[in-house]
Amino acid sequence: MHRTYSMRATRAPTASQIQNPPPPPSSTKSGRLFGKGGLGHALRRNTAGAFGPDLAKKLSQLVKMEKNVMRSLELVAKERMEVAQQLSLWGEACDEDVSDVTDKLGVLLYEIGELEDQYVDRYDQYRVTMKSIRNIEASVQPSRDRKQKITDQIAQLKYKEPNSPKIVVLEQELVRAEAESLVAEAQLSNITREKVKAAYAYQFDALREHCEKVAIIAGYGKHLLELIDDTPVTPGETRPAYDGYEASKAIIQDCEDALTNWVTQNAAVSSKLSTRARTLSQRRRNNIRARAEGGQHQQGHGHDLSAQDAPLNDRDSWAPASQHEYAEDDEVGEADEDDLDAPPSHTAVDTEASLNGEHRGRNHDPVVA
């Protein structure tokens, strides 16, 4: 009997992959310095943030812990595929019905392993997005340190040399440092909110698709079990010949079709809010929208007051704040354990000019490997 361990000999893109193209392979699947064991996990967790700025230490540890999670998920996927193959090998020596069903169950379990491997790649998109927040946090730290250093110098001079002319110079530097810090802190606040929403949207979308497809496989696996005749027989009695080969093949084909055609819009599980939760959430969204519209109005009014030397009736050339674009962190890969949160060579203030004019916001375009 022809035996196969894959549901598709040549894999055509599924409807979900066409709608939402898969990301590049996870950065945890290559360049392993410490292998699969617990040593690498412990080292990443314990050294994360040890060498970086204070502001970024906690998020650095989260990013490294998530890498441990991904390594574990990758190992689970690999071992599940091996288990699927072993189940089919074991069932080959059993009676015809058990042999056929265990072979087909192995096909389904192997498919779960492949889904878990794909989930790791999508999970990495979440981790890389969170890592970009860490990089911005690390770039903000120098502006905070500079402002604090100047403040300490001024306090020291006022105590030792109250009439020193350096105090005036340092106070001017402090004004500039505070202005730079305000820009950096505002950028950090904006990007943190944007990236947190985008990162966990990646994770929850991937988790939803994975769980829905695993549930589909589980349902068809239960149908396969119905093909086994578990009616007790007396000693010496012969069981009827097995006639379920075509049925098992049809079940596998139906499962393949269900997985291929699954899209988010067809998700079977929906999360419905209670009336109270829905009302409170809507109130919060309305408040956010009202504040955003009010901020745009005040910003426009501010332009009217400052541009006294230009005509103010040409408002067609103005772009609302919602159309302003910001940078998207270029996070397509990651060095492995040797990338132990080294501080970046630039600050958020230095990169502000390069950030303007690029796209900011959750990116729905496909990520090309």
Side-chain angles (χ1 to χ4, degrees), residues 344-356:
S345 59
H346 60 278
T347 66
V349 176
D350 296 331
T351 59
E352 181 189 9
S354 64
L355 288 170
N356 291 331

Side-chain angles (χ1 to χ4, degrees), residues 119-162:
Y119 175 64
V120 171
D121 294 338
R122 294 191 179 276
Y123 196 91
D124 193 40
Q125 295 300 104
Y126 144 77
R127 192 185 67 87
V128 167
T129 306
M130 292 298 292
K131 183 181 174 184
S132 67
I133 303 177
R134 181 204 67 179
N135 295 341
I136 295 295
E137 286 184 343
S139 71
V140 169
Q141 188 70 49
S143 66
R144 290 186 177 183
D145 294 342
R146 179 168 177 263
K147 185 176 69 172
Q148 185 61 45
K149 180 180 179 180
I150 296 174
T151 302
D152 294 342
Q153 289 176 340
I154 293 174
Q156 186 177 14
L157 281 175
K158 285 184 176 180
Y159 178 73
K160 292 184 176 180
E161 303 178 39

Side-chain angles (χ1 to χ4, degrees), residues 2 38 299 333:
H2 174 68
Q299 184 181 13

Side-chain angles (χ1 to χ4, degrees), residues 8-270:
R8 291 174 280 277
T10 57
R11 290 183 175 273
T14 65
S16 177
Q17 289 174 334
I18 294 174
Q19 185 183 70
N20 184 21
S26 164
S27 57
T28 63
K29 294 181 178 179
S30 61
R32 296 192 176 187
L33 182 61
F34 297 99
K36 305 176 184 177
L39 175 62
H41 280 219
L43 182 64
R44 278 189 296 272
R45 183 179 62 251
N46 295 333
T47 60
F51 308 105
D54 292 339
L55 182 61
K57 282 185 177 180
K58 292 182 179 179
L59 189 52
S60 294
Q61 191 166 13
L62 172 64
V63 169
K64 293 301 181 183
M65 291 172 69
E66 289 289 13
K67 175 174 281 190
N68 289 345
V69 171
M70 291 173 58
R71 289 280 172 83
S72 300
L73 290 172
E74 183 184 343
L75 183 61
V76 168
K78 181 176 181 295
E79 294 191 346
R80 193 183 298 278
M81 296 178 193
E82 294 174 354
V83 166
Q85 293 174 339
Q86 190 62 31
L87 173 64
S88 184
L89 289 175
W90 166 77
E92 191 172 12
C94 298
D95 294 337
E96 287 187 343
D97 56 347
V98 175
S99 175
D100 181 52
V101 170
T102 54
D103 184 40
K104 297 304 187 295
L105 289 177
V107 171
L108 297 185
L109 293 178
Y110 194 95
E111 182 68 14
I112 292 178
E114 292 193 338
L115 289 175
E116 289 169 336
D117 191 65
Q118 296 169 16
Y119 175 64
V120 171
D121 294 338
R122 294 191 179 276
Y123 196 91
D124 193 40
Q125 295 300 104
Y126 144 77
R127 192 185 67 87
V128 167
T129 306
M130 292 298 292
K131 183 181 174 184
S132 67
I133 303 177
R134 181 204 67 179
N135 295 341
I136 295 295
E137 286 184 343
S139 71
V140 169
Q141 188 70 49
S143 66
R144 290 186 177 183
D145 294 342
R146 179 168 177 263
K147 185 176 69 172
Q148 185 61 45
K149 180 180 179 180
I150 296 174
T151 302
D152 294 342
Q153 289 176 340
I154 293 174
Q156 186 177 14
L157 281 175
K158 285 184 176 180
Y159 178 73
K160 292 184 176 180
E161 303 178 39
N163 298 323
S164 173
K166 292 183 178 180
I167 294 179
V168 178
V169 177
L170 289 174
E171 287 178 342
Q172 293 174 350
E173 290 185 9
L174 180 60
V175 171
R176 289 193 294 269
E178 288 177 340
E180 292 177 353
S181 180
L182 283 175
V183 173
E185 296 289 349
Q187 179 184 336
L188 174 61
S189 176
N190 294 337
I191 290 180
T192 296
R193 285 161 172 76
E194 170 195 339
K195 296 294 185 181
V196 165
K197 291 180 69 173
Y200 280 94
Y202 284 137
Q203 182 180 152
F204 292 141
D205 287 346
L207 185 63
R208 185 182 193 184
E209 177 176 349
H210 177 70
C211 293
E212 288 267 350
K213 289 186 174 180
V214 170
I216 290 173
I217 293 175
Y220 285 99
K222 294 290 289 292
H223 289 304
L224 282 174
L225 294 178
E226 297 298 326
L227 302 180
I228 296 179
D229 182 6
D230 59 351
T231 305
V233 296
T234 58
E237 182 181 356
T238 303
R239 290 188 180 275
Y242 177 61
D243 57 355
Y245 290 110
E246 292 301 321
S248 66
K249 290 179 182 178
I251 291 173
I252 291 294
Q253 185 62 50
D254 287 350
C255 183
E256 177 184 355
D257 293 341
L259 294 175
T260 301
N261 297 326
W262 186 93
V263 290
T264 304
Q265 291 80 357
N266 298 337
V269 178
S270 60

Side-chain angles (χ1 to χ4, degrees), residues 285-299 321-322:
R285 290 192 294 269
N286 292 340
N287 291 340
I288 293 174
R289 190 180 303 111
R291 281 195 293 268
E293 292 173 354
Q296 292 178 16
H297 176 72
Q298 292 178 3
Q299 184 181 13
S322 60

